[in-house]
Amino acid sequence: MDLLMIPGPIEVSPTVLESYSVRPPSHVSNKVIEAFARSLEMMREVWGAGEDAQGFILAGSGTHAMDMAVANLVDTGNHVVIVNTGYFSDRITEMVLRRGATVTTVRAELGHTPTLEAIEEAVSAQLTDIIIATHVDTSTGVRVDVEGICKIADEHDAFTIFDGVCATAGERFEMENWGADVYLTASQKAIGLPPGLALLVMSADAIEEREQLELPPPMSLDVRHWLPIMQAYEARRPSYFATPATNLILALETGLEEILDDEFGALTGMDARFARHEDIANKMREAWHTLGLELLPHLDCAANTLSAILYPPEIEPSLLLGHVKSQGVIIAGGLHPEIKHTYFRVGHMGYSATQLEHLQRTVEAVEHAVFELGHLPERVRAADVLEL
Ligand code: PMP
């Protein structure tokens, strides 16, 4: 069976697989109610959120989570500063514009993140209601400084939304300590599930803001409808507004438990999880370096959840992925429209970050490909860096 090493969806653990491979349970069965409640409780821990923050679990993908965050916080006439680090920042910009808000975009050269000074300057230039950033942009492998952005938002009394689809549970995020308002993700990446769930945690202030909106959100994304449902599930009471993805709720409980049970060296819980991702990312970077490959993102802002790697100039891009696939590993091509054909991407988050053998197989497959395609004069055993 081919190994799925794209930056999401990714391989899931056998325990997660087992937990959702059951006959569909009712959304008001005791089993689902308990899994829903436990998942909402554990989300606070994984997100680093306070007791007054509320998790939301909806059937959907990351894009739904983005739309829900935007539709409940951004009102017509608002001004929003968007820190744009790639393809997914473009997507959320379009969502904000559709709400009738105005946008200032802060960009840097592709592969870099805008400086905090540039963000601060944009926020100071005009009264800003909300700052939005993509924690890790999957199209460029660039990570932003969430804590720094939260400080700017705090100084200017602005709300914050962070798209964590390619980061949540893999990159350090301290929602309460840093004062972030909305952190959203989807199930198919570092959370360790198949696709199908949109996951958000919102601060109490952000939830309150929904009631101030002039332009209501679409009904299926409305916090006013979803809040009582989440509160009921957390209180272990049956509830219904729109049918949840019941099998995936069972998987979510298992996936979040696995994350929180992690151990890495002397570390436990989220500290272990974040340190594990950082360690694996460093090793993967070392392996790419051994193969004479360069990264698209600058090292200062390179994500720990994936590698975005430039094709060496002498390799025909269309050949590399096929070659890697013939070795039984699936990796992804470029995504950013301006530079799509210049790089490829490898995911190393969630369950994959716990499986050295998967990571070794991936590095070996890439080494085999670049050797066969003439980039390496001899085999260098780059995967050895991932040895236990
Ligand atoms: N944001 C980021 C950073 C992503 O990586 C993705 C998916 N790759 C999305 C948003 C959209 O998520 P989905 O495809 O699940 O709708």
Side-chain angles (χ1 to χ4, degrees):
M1 195 104 81
D2 288 340
L3 201 53
L4 188 57
M5 298 301 289
I6 63 176
I10 55 170
E11 296 291 330
V12 302
S13 78
T15 330
V16 165
L17 188 62
E18 205 177 299
S19 64
Y20 68 81
S21 305
V22 294
R23 290 169 56 230
S26 156
H27 59 288
V28 291
S29 63
N30 287 342
K31 200 165 165 130
V32 169
I33 293 173
E34 185 58 27
F36 216 125
R38 288 273 303 124
S39 299
L40 288 166
E41 287 163 1
M42 285 188 283
M43 277 170 71
R44 281 197 195 87
E45 256 184 273
V46 173
W47 267 242
E51 275 307 306
D52 60 346
Q54 178 63 53
F56 293 83
I57 304 170
L58 272 74
S61 77
T63 305
H64 290 101
M66 293 160 81
D67 254 332
M68 181 161 174
V70 168
N72 284 281
L73 209 56
V74 179
D75 204 2
T76 179
N78 279 169
H79 183 67
V80 182
V81 167
I82 299 186
V83 180
N84 190 313
T85 46
Y87 182 89
F88 291 102
S89 313
D90 289 344
R91 176 172 297 185
I92 209 159
T93 303
E94 172 66 23
M95 291 171 177
V96 169
L97 291 172
R98 285 184 186 200
R99 294 285 300 165
T102 55
V103 169
T104 299
T105 302
V106 194
R107 283 180 204 275
E109 206 185 314
L110 279 176
H112 290 259
T113 174
T115 61
L116 291 177
E117 292 71 37
I119 299 168
E120 154 83 0
E121 201 178 306
V123 174
S124 306
Q126 195 174 340
L127 193 64
T128 299
D129 300 289
I130 301 150
I131 307 178
I132 301 182
T134 313
H135 192 181
V136 167
D137 199 296
T138 329
S139 74
T140 52
V142 166
R143 182 187 53 228
V144 299
D145 176 354
V146 172
E147 191 179 6
I149 294 172
C150 284
K151 277 194 191 128
I152 297 173
D154 187 40
E155 277 155 23
H156 292 268
D157 210 13
F159 283 104
T160 50
I161 298 174
F162 294 96
D163 168 357
V165 176
C166 198
T168 308
E171 303 279 3
R172 180 168 287 282
F173 194 93
E174 299 182 20
M175 185 157 181
E176 184 177 31
N177 291 345
W178 296 348
D181 290 296
V182 185
Y183 192 39
L184 65 95
T185 191
S187 50
Q188 74 271 23
K189 301 203 191 206
I191 299 291
L193 266 59
L197 293 180
L199 306 168
L200 301 88
V201 176
M202 297 178 72
S203 70
D205 288 349
I207 290 171
E208 171 60 27
E209 200 59 15
R210 153 65 184 99
E211 296 308 323
Q212 315 305 321
L213 293 180
E214 212 173 286
L215 180 67
M219 197 160 157
S220 65
L221 299 174
D222 194 341
V223 159
R224 188 185 283 174
H225 290 296
W226 282 114
L227 181 61
I229 304 297
M230 299 302 140
Q231 289 170 333
Y233 271 120
E234 226 176 314
R236 272 78 176 166
R237 278 188 280 112
S239 188
Y240 170 73
F241 169 57
T243 310
T246 50
N247 289 58
L248 289 177
I249 303 291
L250 303 182
L252 185 60
E253 182 186 21
T254 310
L256 294 173
E257 264 167 14
E258 277 184 3
I259 290 170
L260 291 169
D261 283 348
D262 203 359
E263 291 179 4
F264 188 76
L267 301 172
T268 56
M270 292 317 292
D271 286 337
R273 202 63 173 181
F274 297 139
R276 173 189 296 287
H277 279 78
E278 191 177 348
D279 178 67
I280 290 298
N282 284 333
K283 290 184 171 143
M284 293 301 273
R285 287 192 268 268
E286 199 180 326
W288 308 135
H289 181 72
T290 309
L291 295 179
L293 299 172
E294 283 179 26
L295 292 187
L296 164 64
H298 194 269
L299 208 52
D300 284 353
C301 59
N304 290 329
T305 47
L306 81 156
S307 294
I309 306 155
L310 298 171
Y311 288 115
E314 70 280 9
I315 285 188
E316 167 54 43
S318 62
L319 294 180
L320 189 115
L321 298 195
H323 207 105
V324 173
K325 170 119 181 16
S326 74
Q327 302 298 302
V329 178
I330 302 174
I331 57 172
L335 181 61
H336 197 287
E338 283 170 41
I339 49 168
K340 206 176 156 85
H341 301 295
T342 65
Y343 70 107
F344 62 99
R345 296 170 303 143
V346 175
H348 34 79
M349 64 189 116
Y351 178 62
S352 308
T354 68
Q355 300 298 304
L356 280 189
E357 193 252 334
H358 291 189
L359 299 162
Q360 282 169 337
R361 266 176 69 190
T362 306
V363 171
E364 271 160 22
V366 173
E367 175 168 338
H368 193 276
V370 294
F371 173 71
E372 291 290 325
L373 295 169
H375 171 66
L376 277 182
E378 56 183 4
R379 297 294 298 268
V380 290
R381 299 175 57 90
D384 285 358
V385 69
L386 288 150
E387 249 158 32
L388 284 168

